[in-house]
Structures are given as structure tokens and as C-alpha cells.
Amino acid sequence: MSTDTTTAEAPPLTPIIKTAEDGSHYLAGCKCGACGKLFVGERKICAACCARDQMKPVRLAETGKLYAWSIVHRSFPGVKTPFIDVVVDLADGAHLKGTLEGVVPDNSALAYDMPVKIAWREAAPVNAGGKTYLTYVFVPA
Amino acid sequence: MSDVFIVGVDMIKFGRFPDRTVPDLAAEAALLALDDAGLTIRDMQALYCGNLGQASGMVGQRMLAEIGQTGIPVVNVANACATGATAFRDGWMSIKAGLYDLVLAVGVEQMGKGLLGGGGGVSPEGLIGSGTMPAMFAHIGNEHTRKYGTTFEQFAKVSVKNHHHSTMNPKSMYRVETPLQEVMGAEMISFPNTKLMCSVNVDGSAAAVLASEAAVKRLGLMDRAVRIRNSTMTSNPFEDRQMAMPDFSGATRLAAKVAYEAAGVGPEDINLIELHDCFATAELVHYENLGICKDGEAGRLIDEGVTALGGKVPVNVSGGLLSKGHPLGATGIANIYEVATHLRGKAGQRQVEGARLGLTHVVGGGPGMGTACAIHILEKV
């Protein structure tokens, strides 16, 4: 079960999800001041150029294009299938994995580079005893 | 530095042995390899043992407790799907370094059925895509389709080929023909990988006895020796998309480049390849990563039978991970067994005629983990 409304209580499902002081959510990234690489999540050292103490926090873009996908029919116990597992190239150059909602899980409904955007959800993951977490999904833009 | 040779190598028939122990499975392969070399555990100066499932369980020492405790150094290694190859390479390095003349490398795994991973704890599975192996390798196939138009049918043909090859391998888990329609019509796991396009989780073990040139000559073992022309390992170099989709190509391309250069050969010189076909999609991508065709030509290779037994570069004539099975820690030595057996001219019905140079490749890892890749180039003596 997932819902479009978010509450202050639901913890983030992944550490890259942040909540600003005004209650809005964003995805944390960082950019290397030495080589310019953009990373999903926070880090101190650049994995690409090895520079130390050059990382600056950024908010990741919330729109992007579909790079690759798979329709997952068999997953771990308790996970509802089918769902669409996607790799998205974000507009700022970052690359993010996620689930695509709002599209029929059929290859004919999917196309390379189709525009997508981030939406926020509260959902109960498997093995969480029904507790809900704040997560992101991709939806058609 | 001495050349290093394989003088004994073998594997057990892969299968499901829930009532046996990991050290017991390892011991069986170790004794087979020692017998193949005509040597005993008393002749071994060190043991390198690869296993994932009991990585903290001292599997090498427990195996010696079953076959003879001579006090030799034991190194237990775990390195994803490159675990067995890592143990083998550690043995190779110890002889290269001049420390030892004769060492034993063993790879072993006992596995359950079904999807790898998915252990306890709150999981983002399904909410933030999928962390299953079939889905990861589906993305890699889908990326190939994006770049080159590779079709579901072309990926499926890999499974048809490897299952066919396995019918000629008595040590394979499965030995059943799987026609194209059956592969494509099997249960869809993660498009485009159907169940028959996923490697088989099995129990298995494989082992090799490695020797310096001096030891080979002293013991008169040149008649059974296979030269290790090169041993190369890599991890995943930084790749832009790595956080969204694990990268198995960068490490493989880097390892192939280093291995070919160091061995002084090119992909056109290789007579057979055992590569890491953990999923049907992976095999096609690795044709290009290993340089046996240009980027974008892998689909044509499978269409034209270039990589089937009888083709120019037979790939996975053992049946591969798709049919022979994929006991994680054993795979990297089992594929060395396969290539060595062809170089010795002892592969029976599936023999690649005139094989002089062969290549083995394993690459493993997982979401957020990184990649371990190993390539060995082996040469007929």
C-alpha cells in the first residue's frame, strides 16, 4: 500500500531522502569540486578522482529520462509483483534507480528516454511489520 | 619468476547435496585434483580455499581436518562470484613470488534454491526498484537493447546454446535440451530473463594443484601440465551509472585488456572461453567486454553460431552457469577445470578440436557492493 500524502512521522526508507525545514522532501546528492562528478547521497571523498574534502552537498534533480528498465515478475517473499524497476538519468546528470508507477507493467507502455519525475510516497516495505516509511517513486512526467 | 602450471584439476558433478557439509564437498574435489596430479596432500605447501556462504567458518582448515592436517598455511577467501578464481590466483601468486613449488586451490559452495539475497530486515525491494540478481542483469540486457537493438530472442539463444552444450558434460547439473520456444516461454523472472535464462543455484566444488616449472620437471608432470599464461584481477573502476546499476563491464574490460597485453595474445588467438553467464543477458555483453567481437556485434555472434561448439570461438561448452550450475565459490575453479580439460584434449564429446589457448572469466558483485573480476589465460603445453 502506498499513499501520496506524507506525514512527519514516517522515517526515510533510504538515507538519501531528506526533509527540509518547511516539510518538503528532496534527494540528497553531492558534487565534487575537483572533477565535477555528481553523486547520489552524501560522501566525503570522490570515488572518481579521489579528491578529499571537495564534496559539496546538492539537491538532486527531480525530473529525468528513462535509461533502462526491467519488469520484475519474481521478487523476494512478500513483495508484490509485477513492478517496473528502472534506471533514470536525472536532468542534472545523476543516475538513480527506482520503481516506476503510473504505467502498465508492459514493455509496450515503456520507451527509452520517456520523461519521468519524482513523486513522494509513504509505503510499508517488506519485513517492516506494517510500519510505513517515506520513499520516492518515479511517475510519468 | 617461474611459469606456473596446473598439474591436477577436477570438479565434482554439480548437484544438490543438502545432507553433506561444505568441508566434505571441498574435500572431494581436493582429492580428485590431487589424484589427477598423482600427488597427495602431504606434497602441498599451502592451501587457498574459496567459499562465500561460510566465509567466516575456516572452511580450508575444516577440509584439512578431513583429508590430512599437515600444518600448511591456509588462506580462506571470499570475493563474490570471483571467489574460486581468487583462491586460484592467490596460489598462482605464491608460486610466482617464489614462496612455494606446489599448492592446492579449492572452491566450494552449498546453496539453497531460489533468488539470492533477500535476507531479513526492512527492505526497499519493490519500492525502490529491485535488488534481485535477475533484475540487475535484466537492466544490463535492456541497456544492450537500448544501444544495439538486441532482442529477447537473441538473449534466449544463449540459454539454448549452453543447455545444449551441457548435454555433453557428465559433470553438469542439468543435461537437457531447451528449445528456443521453451526458453522464451518459461516463467518470466525479470524481463528479458526467464527462469531458463538464470543460472542454477547448486552445490559444488572444484580444485586445482598448481606447480612451479621446477616442480613440474622434478616430478615429471609435464604430460599433464597446463601453463597459466596470465592471471588478472580487477575491481570496478568508477563508472557514472554505478549507483543506479551495478557495473560488471568496466572490471571485465579492464581485466581483459591487462590479461591480453600481459600474455602477449589477443582475443583472436583464443580457442575457447568459459565466461560468467550468470544470466543469459550477461553472456552477450561479455562477448564485447572480452573483445571477441566489436561493440554491438554480440547479437550477430549468437545468431551465427560463432560461440557454439563447432564455431570459431566456442563459449561455455561446459554448459556454463546457466546449465552446469553456479555454486558461487566453486565456479571460478570449475571453469578453469573445463578449459584445462580441453587443452589436455580430454573433453570427450564436447572437445574443442585443436584447442591451444583458452580463457576463463568470472565477475561478481551486487547492488552497492562493487565488482570482483578474474581472468585466466591458459595454454596447452
Side-chain angles (χ1 to χ4, degrees):
Chain A
M1 281 298 268
S2 68
T3 156
D4 284 337
T5 52
T6 62
T7 60
E9 291 77 36
L13 183 57
T14 152
I16 70 169
I17 296 175
K18 303 289 181 191
T19 300
E21 281 184 13
D22 66 0
S24 65
H25 309 302
Y26 65 95
L27 295 171
C30 57
K31 188 165 190 168
C32 177
C35 75
K37 284 285 179 202
L38 185 61
F39 291 82
V40 172
E42 299 165 305
R43 54 183 302 129
K44 288 189 170 138
I45 298 175
C46 180
C49 78
C50 315
R52 293 161 68 164
D53 303 321
Q54 294 286 322
M55 284 294 171
K56 295 179 181 61
V58 296
R59 288 189 181 199
L60 295 178
E62 298 197 2
T63 59
K65 290 179 175 178
L66 185 57
Y67 179 74
W69 73 82
S70 176
I71 298 168
V72 177
H73 295 266
R74 174 102 74 99
S75 181
F76 298 128
V79 177
K80 189 168 173 252
T81 57
F83 61 89
I84 311 170
D85 175 20
V86 298
V87 174
V88 170
D89 288 349
L90 295 177
D92 53 12
H95 310 280
L96 189 65
K97 179 185 182 68
T99 298
L100 178 62
E101 286 188 358
V103 178
V104 182
D106 189 296
N107 286 309
S108 64
L110 296 157
Y112 294 114
D113 296 325
M114 68 181 269
V116 298
K117 64 180 182 184
I118 295 281
W120 302 99
R121 297 280 189 271
E122 281 185 16
V126 289
N127 303 327
K131 181 177 164 146
T132 59
Y133 286 75
L134 176 64
T135 189
Y136 67 90
V137 293
F138 292 105
V139 295
Chain B
M1 285 190 289
S2 169
D3 270 359
V4 182
F5 296 82
I6 300 165
V7 292
V9 62
D10 212 335
M11 60 180 274
I12 68 167
K13 181 188 187 317
F14 289 172
R16 294 213 170 88
F17 311 107
D19 299 329
R20 295 180 62 180
T21 67
V22 172
D24 179 45
L25 292 168
E28 185 179 352
L31 293 175
L32 285 168
L34 288 164
D35 289 349
D36 183 48
L39 298 171
T40 77
I41 192 66
R42 289 184 173 279
D43 299 309
M44 297 298 108
Q45 297 166 308
L47 167 64
Y48 299 88
C49 181
N51 173 260
L52 272 184
Q54 297 184 6
S56 57
M58 308 280 276
V59 171
Q61 284 86 344
R62 285 158 65 208
M63 184 195 85
L64 287 184
E66 297 205 9
I67 67 170
Q69 295 170 240
T70 58
I72 56 173
V74 175
V75 179
N76 293 290
V77 306
N79 209 8
C81 297
T83 292
T86 303
F88 181 90
R89 178 178 154 81
D90 280 2
W92 171 85
M93 281 198 294
S94 72
I95 294 174
K96 274 283 179 196
L99 278 179
Y100 308 120
D101 274 329
L102 284 166
V103 304
L104 179 62
V106 181
V108 61
E109 205 70 47
Q110 193 171 40
M111 304 175 73
K113 286 173 147 185
L115 290 168
L116 297 181
V122 174
S123 165
E125 177 71 15
L127 299 175
I128 306 180
S130 177
T132 63
M133 295 288 169
M136 283 196 315
F137 283 91
H139 278 166
I140 287 162
N142 186 260
E143 180 182 47
H144 206 264
T145 300
R146 175 192 177 99
K147 288 179 176 170
Y148 308 117
T150 317
T151 64
F152 175 31
E153 181 173 324
Q154 286 173 319
F155 290 126
K157 283 179 178 175
V158 171
S159 270
V160 175
K161 170 180 73 73
N162 292 356
H163 281 96
H164 169 66
H165 286 161
S166 73
T167 63
M168 295 173 272
N169 182 0
K171 298 206 179 206
S172 176
M173 166 78 180
Y174 291 122
R175 301 182 67 191
V176 184
E177 297 281 0
T178 57
L180 184 62
Q181 290 315 311
E182 188 178 331
V183 171
M184 295 176 75
E187 179 191 348
M188 185 56 72
I189 305 295
S190 272
F191 184 88
N193 284 321
T194 69
K195 190 170 182 179
L196 287 174
M197 296 160 71
C198 301
S199 57
V200 198
N201 294 345
V202 298
D203 307 332
S205 58
V209 177
L210 286 74
S212 68
E213 185 158 10
V216 174
K217 287 178 173 163
R218 183 177 77 242
L219 296 165
L221 295 174
M222 204 51 93
D223 63 326
R224 71 197 68 187
V226 170
R227 180 181 282 107
I228 304 167
R229 273 288 286 270
N230 182 259
S231 171
T232 292
M233 278 197 71
T234 55
S235 60
N236 49 311
F238 180 83
E239 208 283 327
D240 274 337
R241 235 172 231 103
Q242 65 185 20
M243 280 173 290
M245 49 191 299
D247 176 41
F248 299 93
S249 291
T252 298
R253 283 179 186 244
L254 180 59
K257 180 173 183 288
V258 172
Y260 290 135
E261 282 178 11
V265 302
E268 66 282 0
D269 300 315
I270 304 292
N271 305 119
L272 80 154
I273 293 174
E274 290 284 306
L275 63 73
H276 205 74
D277 59 327
C278 50
F279 295 88
T281 47
E283 178 164 319
L284 288 194
V285 174
H286 291 317
Y287 290 172
E288 295 164 13
N289 291 337
L290 295 174
I292 61 174
C293 65
K294 292 190 179 121
D295 287 353
E297 291 184 350
R300 178 182 64 78
L301 249 58
I302 194 74
D303 283 342
E304 294 178 356
V306 174
T307 56
L309 184 60
K312 184 171 175 291
V313 198
V315 171
N316 291 330
V317 287
S318 68
L321 283 52
L322 289 170
S323 190
K324 179 179 67 181
H326 183 21
L328 308 175
T331 289
I333 298 182
N335 67 12
I336 287 170
Y337 160 77
E338 181 68 17
V339 168
T341 302
H342 287 267
L343 298 177
R344 287 166 155 185
K346 305 280 190 195
Q349 201 186 348
R350 67 186 190 284
Q351 176 69 40
V352 174
E353 293 303 330
R356 196 183 68 80
L357 273 178
L359 182 149
T360 67
H361 160 258
V362 286
V363 62
M369 290 181 188
T371 303
C373 178
I375 286 179
H376 287 92
I377 296 177
L378 306 179
E379 182 181 27
K380 178 184 174 72
V381 171

